[in-house]
Amino acid sequence: MRLLTTIGKYFVLMSSVFAKPVKLRIFIKRVLEEVEQIGMDSIWIVSIVSIFMGAVLTLQVAINFEAPYIPRYLIGLSARDTMILEFSSTIICLILAGKVGSNIASEIGTMRITEQIDALEIMGINSANYLILPKITAAIISFPVLNLLSIILGIAGGYLVSAATGVVSVYDYIYGLNYLFVPFYVTYSLIKICVFSVIITSVSSFHGYYTFGGALEVGKSSTRAVVYSIILILLFNLILTQLLLT
Amino acid sequence: MIEVRNVNKSFGDKHVLKDINATFKPGNVNMIIGRSGSGKTVLLKSIIGLHVPETGDIFFDGREFIRANMKFKREIRQEIGMVFQGGALFTSQTVEENIMFPLNLFTNWSKAEKLKRVNFCLERVNIQNANHLYPSEISGGMQKRVSIARAISLNPKYLFCDEPNSGLDPQTAILIDRLIKEITIEYDITTIVNTHDMNSVMEAGDSINYIHEGQNWWQGGREDIFNSDNIELNQFVFASELCKKIKKVSG
Ligand SMILES: Nc1ncnc2c1ncn2[C@@H]1O[C@H](COP(=O)(O)OP(=O)(O)OP(=O)(O)O)[C@@H](O)[C@H]1O
Ligand SMILES: [Mg+2]
C-alpha cells in the first residue's frame, strides 16, 4: 500500500516535471549547467573504472581460457561484448547512481528543507519543472556519451594489457574485436543507458523533493535515492534484456 | 486587499488554524502576532497556498485563490513577494543573481535594465558592494535584507514577511521594520508581517491580529493594543517589563 502511494506520488511529481519551461533560453542554460555537473564531472570516474575493468576482464578471460582448443581471439571478442552488453551500461549506471543520484537528492533535499523550493513556488515558478527537467534532459544527453566512452576505454584497457603482458597477442585481440560484431548490441546498450539515466535522475530528484525535516533527513533521502535507483536499474536491466535480446 | 474567510487547517488530528477570519488592507503593515507555536507561519503559508486549508476562502483583491487552478495561482503568485523565516536565498547563486532571478524569468528586460533594478533594490535595503558574494558569505542580517530585496524586485502587490527581524540586533531590526513600512506606503502594498516582537509592532504595525492557539483572538490598531482588556493579549503584550512600564507611564 505504501509502495503504491509512493509510485502514485512519483507519477504526480513527474506530471509537473514534464511541462513547458517558462523560458526556453533559461531552460537551455540550466541544461548546460547540469550537463557539466552530471556528465562532465563523471568523465574521470567512468574512464578510470572502464580502463581498469577492460584490462582485468581481458586478463581474467585469457588466464581462464588457456586450453589449446579454444581460439585465442575469443578473448578480444568476450572483452568487447562484456563491455558493450553489460559493463558500459549497467555497471557504469550503478556507479553513477551512487555518484550522481546522491548528489541530486542531497541538492534538492537541502533546497527543500531551507525553503528554497517554497521560494520558487511563491515566485510563481513550477519548481519541479525548473529543478528536475534540466537534470533529466542533461542525463539523457550525457549518459550515452559516457556509455560510448566507457566501451572504447574498456576495449583499450584490454588492448593495453595484452600489449603489456602478452597474455594474448595483439593480433588475436584485435581479430577478436572484429569477429562477429553485432552492431545492434551498441544500440541495445544505448537504449539501456537512456532508460537508466531517466531512472537515476528522476528517482533521486523525487527523494530529494519529498524530504521533510532537517539535515538528517537529507542524508536519509540521499541514501534512499541511491538504493531505489540501483534496484530499479537492475529490474529494468532484466526487463529490457528480455524485450530487446530475446 | 487580502481577505481570509473561515480558514481551518489541521495536520493529522492536530487542529492548528481554527476558523480564521481576517482582512488585510493595502498600504498597511498588517501584523500577525502570537506566541511561538500559535500558528502564525501556518497561517501565512496557508494564505499563499504552501499549505492547503481544509475549509475556507482566500481572496486576493476579490480573486478566489485556494480553489483556483495552478495556472491562475502562479499568476497571482507573480504579484507576491515573500521573505521566509530563514531567508530562503538560493545558496548556489550570488546576491545579484538571487535578486535578478525573478527578473530573468518574468521580464523581457535587457541585461542592463535588470542590473539597474537589482542595484536599486539593493540600495533600497542598504546593501553595497555585495553583488558578487554568496549567501554563505554574508551575515544573517544581510541575508534577511537581500531576501527583502529579492521579494520587492518585481514590485509586488502583496508582501509577506515571516519574522523578518528575528535573530537580529535591535538596531538592524528597527531598520528592517522601517524599511518594510516605507516600501509598503510607497508602493501601496498589502503587507503581512509575522512577528512576536513587540518592538516591531510599535515601530511598524498598522493593524494587528493576535493569534492565540490557532484562533484570531483579537484584532485592532497599534494604539488599541495597550488599552485592551483581553486577558490573553495582555499577557502577551505585557510579558516584558518594558511594556509594563510604558503602560504605567501612559496609563
Ligand atoms: N508541516 C507540519 N506538520 C505538522 N505540524 C505542523 C506543521 N507545521 C506546523 N505544525 C504545527 O503547527 C503549530 C503552529 O506552528 P507555526 O509554525 O505556525 O508556529 P508559529 O506561530 O509560526 O511559531 P514561531 O513563532 O515559533 O515561528 C505547531 O504546533 C507546529 O507543530
Ligand atoms: Mg513561525
Side-chain angles (χ1 to χ4, degrees):
Chain A
M1 189 60 214
R2 246 193 51 216
L3 183 71
L4 235 64
T5 39
T6 307
I7 294 174
K9 251 168 86 178
Y10 171 83
F11 282 105
V12 169
L13 179 67
M14 286 306 128
S15 71
S16 45
V17 167
F18 291 98
K20 194 173 155 287
V22 184
K23 276 196 178 172
L24 194 64
R25 212 165 46 85
I26 291 178
F27 174 69
I28 293 172
K29 189 168 152 261
R30 289 268 301 122
V31 171
L32 293 179
E33 282 168 14
E34 295 295 344
V35 165
E36 188 176 343
Q37 215 186 50
I38 292 175
M40 309 271 236
D41 287 356
S42 303
I43 289 179
W44 62 272
I45 183 141
V46 168
S47 305
I48 291 175
V49 172
S50 303
I51 291 178
F52 276 87
M53 288 308 287
V56 169
L57 275 172
T58 307
L59 216 52
Q60 294 270 12
V61 176
I63 293 166
N64 288 312
F65 281 8
E66 220 147 331
Y69 49 84
I70 298 175
R72 299 303 284 167
Y73 64 77
L74 277 187
I75 297 165
L77 181 144
S78 77
R80 179 196 74 201
D81 282 354
T82 321
M83 288 308 294
I84 297 178
L85 288 175
E86 281 310 316
F87 187 84
S88 298
S89 52
T90 314
I91 307 295
I92 287 295
C93 275
L94 293 181
I95 292 168
L96 290 177
K99 182 182 178 291
V100 175
S102 63
N103 188 315
I104 291 177
S106 54
E107 179 192 329
I108 296 185
T110 306
M111 290 188 75
R112 164 64 75 193
I113 63 163
T114 54
E115 297 181 313
Q116 293 177 51
I117 291 183
D118 288 341
L120 284 171
E121 285 292 329
I122 286 311
M123 290 175 191
I125 296 163
N126 176 346
S127 61
N129 171 263
Y130 176 81
L131 292 172
I132 302 174
L133 191 58
K135 289 189 194 295
I136 297 179
T137 315
I140 295 179
I141 294 171
S142 51
F143 279 24
V145 178
L146 292 175
N147 177 246
L148 296 176
L149 179 77
S150 163
I151 294 176
I152 292 166
L153 289 178
I155 290 173
Y159 176 86
L160 287 177
V161 87
S162 57
T165 64
V167 285
V168 49
S169 75
V170 169
Y171 173 82
D172 279 340
Y173 185 76
I174 293 180
Y175 182 81
L177 289 184
N178 292 306
Y179 190 76
L180 283 179
F181 175 59
V182 186
F184 177 72
Y185 284 178
V186 178
T187 317
Y188 159 79
S189 189
L190 286 171
I191 292 175
K192 281 209 303 190
I193 203 153
C194 283
V195 174
F196 297 161
S197 67
V198 175
I199 291 177
I200 293 176
T201 43
S202 67
V203 168
S204 306
S205 301
F206 170 77
H207 285 290
Y209 199 82
Y210 289 109
T211 304
F212 292 101
L216 199 64
E217 276 74 17
V218 174
K220 282 184 193 157
S221 296
S222 128
T223 309
R224 261 202 303 275
V226 176
V227 171
Y228 281 92
S229 298
I230 287 177
I231 293 173
L232 285 170
I233 287 171
L234 294 174
L235 184 69
F236 273 82
N237 188 29
L238 203 64
I239 296 173
L240 287 173
T241 306
Q242 175 71 21
L243 284 177
L244 296 170
L245 288 190
T246 54
Chain B
M1 183 157 80
I2 299 173
E3 291 161 274
V4 176
R5 295 280 163 264
N6 308 101
V7 164
N8 281 282
K9 172 73 194 166
S10 311
F11 294 101
D13 48 13
K14 187 165 186 184
H15 199 170
V16 177
L17 296 181
K18 296 164 191 153
D19 211 34
I20 300 268
N21 282 286
T23 303
F24 305 104
K25 293 204 189 78
N28 276 0
V29 176
N30 301 279
M31 290 208 156
I32 298 175
I33 62 174
R35 294 171 59 176
S36 189
S38 55
K40 303 184 294 297
T41 301
V42 174
L43 175 57
L44 208 60
K45 288 192 172 177
S46 299
I47 296 176
I48 53 188
L50 289 177
H51 291 316
V52 183
E54 284 85 45
T55 67
D57 299 293
I58 288 164
F59 297 95
F60 284 80
D61 289 310
R63 296 170 294 178
E64 216 292 316
F65 184 71
I66 294 181
R67 268 166 289 280
N69 64 28
M70 209 54 213
K71 187 167 168 287
F72 188 66
K73 274 189 186 163
R74 294 212 170 102
E75 278 169 29
I76 292 187
R77 281 178 176 174
Q78 287 167 28
E79 303 172 355
I80 293 177
M82 167 112 189
V83 180
F84 284 85
Q85 200 159 353
L89 293 175
F90 302 124
T91 41
S92 60
Q93 301 181 357
T94 61
V95 165
E96 184 177 297
E97 287 164 345
N98 260 285
I99 302 169
M100 207 180 272
F101 187 84
L103 305 178
N104 283 336
L105 276 153
F106 299 115
T107 70
N108 290 313
W109 299 353
S110 70
K111 181 92 205 225
E113 284 171 308
K114 284 186 276 192
L115 202 58
K116 199 172 145 215
R117 179 71 192 166
V118 169
N119 287 327
F120 172 81
C121 293
L122 279 174
E123 221 169 88
R124 204 73 196 67
V125 296
N126 253 320
I127 288 184
Q128 286 112 22
N129 306 324
N131 286 42
H132 301 294
L133 297 178
Y134 283 89
S136 57
E137 298 170 331
I138 59 179
S139 74
M142 275 169 96
Q143 287 182 18
K144 281 267 166 60
R145 281 184 283 162
V146 172
S147 179
I148 295 176
R150 183 177 69 182
I152 62 173
S153 66
L154 274 176
N155 264 332
K157 280 170 79 174
Y158 316 99
L159 180 64
F160 295 84
C161 306
D162 197 353
E163 308 205 7
N165 49 23
S166 65
L168 302 181
D169 66 89
Q171 273 177 310
T172 313
I174 284 182
L175 281 182
I176 287 185
D177 288 331
R178 288 192 185 145
L179 174 69
I180 291 171
K181 177 115 183 162
E182 276 169 32
I183 297 168
T184 301
I185 296 171
E186 202 173 323
Y187 302 108
D188 200 30
I189 303 172
T190 305
T191 301
I192 304 183
V193 177
N194 269 2
T195 186
H196 37 52
D197 179 8
M198 280 310 292
N199 287 326
S200 290
V201 176
M202 299 321 294
E203 190 63 43
D206 292 311
S207 101
I208 288 117
N209 288 273
Y210 174 65
I211 307 291
H212 179 69
E213 290 175 358
Q215 299 172 64
N216 196 353
W217 203 252
W218 180 89
Q219 46 196 347
R222 178 180 15 178
E223 292 74 25
D224 314 330
I225 204 165
F226 284 117
N227 307 319
S228 155
D229 46 19
N230 189 304
I231 300 166
E232 287 78 11
L233 178 68
N234 282 338
Q235 277 169 354
F236 178 83
V237 172
F238 300 114
S240 89
E241 286 301 323
L242 187 63
C243 288
K244 276 183 204 152
K245 280 189 188 132
I246 295 174
K247 168 125 177 147
K248 229 180 253 164
V249 172
S250 64

